[in-house]
Amino acid sequence: MKVKVFDEEHEDDLTQAINAFFKEHPNIKMKDIRFSTAACIYEETQIYCFSALLVYEE
């Protein structure tokens, strides 16, 4: 088993990163995927973090 962590500032970027990984690795077998969202405020700017942990086998 292996894991891959994805971390992006926008949900669409996360989607694109995961889809690109699947396209680059068409023979992997996905076992599980976990999704997380976090938000914080830094100097009047709201910052988002969209993350996913992919568990897979080659």
Side-chain angles (χ1 to χ4, degrees):
M1 294 253 197
K2 292 187 174 187
V3 297
K4 172 75 175 164
V5 176
F6 300 89
D7 181 45
E8 301 291 341
E9 292 182 16
H10 193 275
E11 64 268 24
D12 290 339
D13 294 336
L14 180 63
T15 299
Q16 290 175 3
I18 294 170
N19 286 333
F21 181 79
F22 284 135
K23 189 173 183 178
E24 292 170 13
H25 302 89
N27 296 324
I28 68 168
K29 294 180 182 178
M30 184 178 71
K31 297 297 183 180
D32 194 11
I33 191 164
R34 305 288 172 103
F35 176 74
S36 177
T37 306
C40 68
I41 296 176
Y42 177 74
E43 295 182 357
E44 299 182 17
T45 302
Q46 192 164 5
I47 300 171
Y48 292 96
C49 176
F50 297 91
S51 303
L53 173 73
L54 172 65
V55 180
Y56 67 96
E57 290 182 354
E58 292 189 279

